[in-house]
C-alpha cells in the first residue's frame, strides 16, 4: 500500500535557509543588542547567540511568518529583558575602555550616549531602542514589550528626560536627523 501524499496534498514550500537569514539579519540584530546592553559588545554577542538559538529551534514556523525579521527583533528584546531579570546580570562593565580607533563624527557623544543608555532601567532602554533606533511606532513597541501604549509613552518620556539630563546640551542638535526618522541613537552609532 502506497502512503504517498504527494497526489493528495501540494508540496509544502521549502522555508528560507536559516543560515542565510542569520547572516542577512545578524549584523542588524547585533547592533540592536549592543544598544540594549549599553555598549557591552560581549554581552550583545551572547544575547544575539541565545536569540538566534531560540529562533533556530522554531525556524520552520517562523520562516512562514509575514515578518520573520520583526519576530527575531522581538525575540532579541525578550532575551535581553529576561537576562536582566536573572540574578547573574548584576555584573557591570568597567569605565576603562581599550584604545581603539572610532569611526564617526563624535566619539565622545557616542560614549556618553552609551553610558547614559547603560544607566537606564532595562525596559526603558528597550523602549528607547525600539522607538528611536528601530523606528517602531508606539503600538509596535507596546506589542513587542507586552506593555500598553500609555506605558510605552510614559517610559519613553521618562527615559528621554533622563537621557537629556545625562547628555546635557548636545551642541544645538535636535533629537531627530534631518529626515525626521531616527533619533540621536541612529546618528551617533
Amino acid at each position: 500500500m502506497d502512503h504517498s501524499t504527494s497526489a493528495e496534498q501540494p508540496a509544502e514550500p521549502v522555508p528560507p535557509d536559516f543560515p542565510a537569514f542569520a547572516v542577512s539579519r545578524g549584523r542588524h540584530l547585533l547592533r540592536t543588542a549592543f544598544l540594549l546592553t549599553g555598549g557591552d559588545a560581549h554581552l550583545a554577542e551572547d544575547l544575539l547567540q541565545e536569540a538566534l538559538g531560540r529562533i533556530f529551534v522554531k525556524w520552520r514556523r517562523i520562516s512562514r511568518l509575514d515578518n520573520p525579521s520583526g519576530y527575531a527583533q522581538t525575540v532579541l528584546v525578550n532575551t535581553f529583558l529576561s537576562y536582566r531579570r536573572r540574578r547573574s546580570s548584576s555584573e557591570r562593565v568597567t569605565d576603562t575602555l581599550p584604545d581603539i580607533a572610532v569611526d564617526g563624527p563624535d566619539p565622545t557623544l557616542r560614549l556618553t550616549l552609551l553610558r547614559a543608555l547603560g544607566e537606564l532601567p532595562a525596559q526603558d532602554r528597550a523602549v528607547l531602542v525600539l522607538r528611536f533606533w528601530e523606528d517602531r511606532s508606539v503600538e509596535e513597541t507596546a506589542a513587542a514589550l507586552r506593555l500598553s501604549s500609555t506605558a510605552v509613552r510614559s517610559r519613553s518620556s521618562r527615559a528621554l528626560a533622563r537621557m537629556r539630563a545625562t547628555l546635557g546640551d548636545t551642541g544645538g542638535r535636535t533629537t531627530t536627523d534631518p529626515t525626521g526618522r531616527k533619533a540621536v541613537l541612529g546618528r551617533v552609532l
Side-chain angles (χ1 to χ4, degrees):
M1 178 191 262
D2 184 18
H3 292 292
S4 173
T5 59
S6 61
E8 298 172 82
Q9 297 176 357
E12 191 173 309
V14 176
D17 192 33
F18 178 78
F21 173 81
V23 167
S24 69
R25 297 302 299 162
R27 184 176 170 101
H28 178 77
L29 290 169
L30 180 61
R31 194 168 182 96
T32 300
F34 184 76
L35 290 170
L36 287 170
T37 61
D40 186 344
H42 299 291
L43 178 56
E45 290 171 355
D46 290 346
L47 290 174
L48 176 60
Q49 186 69 29
E50 187 172 335
L52 287 175
R54 291 178 181 182
I55 293 166
F56 178 75
V57 171
K58 300 178 183 178
W59 180 245
R60 290 200 86 44
R61 183 179 57 84
I62 294 169
S63 65
R64 294 185 198 124
L65 295 174
D66 290 338
N67 187 4
S69 297
Y71 186 88
Q73 198 72 31
T74 301
V75 169
L76 178 67
V77 171
N78 289 337
T79 302
F80 164 71
L81 292 174
S82 68
Y83 169 80
R84 297 297 298 170
R85 288 184 203 111
R86 285 188 225 143
R87 192 173 189 171
S88 65
S89 70
S90 61
E91 296 177 12
R92 299 282 177 226
V93 178
T94 65
D95 290 338
T96 308
L97 297 173
D99 292 330
I100 55 174
V102 177
D103 293 329
D106 195 350
T108 305
L109 178 60
R110 178 181 179 174
L111 293 174
T112 304
L113 177 64
L114 289 173
R115 189 173 12 262
L117 274 173
E119 292 173 2
L120 291 175
Q123 268 202 325
D124 289 353
R125 190 178 327 152
V127 166
L128 287 185
V129 170
L130 290 177
R131 285 282 292 129
F132 300 107
W133 172 253
E134 292 296 324
D135 200 22
R136 291 191 185 191
S137 69
V138 171
E139 293 74 22
E140 290 171 332
T141 303
L145 297 175
R146 296 184 189 131
L147 298 171
S148 68
S149 296
T150 305
V152 169
R153 285 187 193 97
S154 64
R155 282 186 174 278
S156 178
S157 176
R158 184 176 47 239
L160 284 174
R162 286 186 65 187
M163 292 288 289
R164 286 185 189 108
T166 301
L167 294 174
D169 181 20
T170 58
R173 295 183 183 132
T174 61
T175 57
T176 57
D177 65 12
T179 64
R181 291 191 39 168
K182 295 211 178 181
V184 74
L185 292 175
R187 285 196 355 257
V188 173
L189 297 175

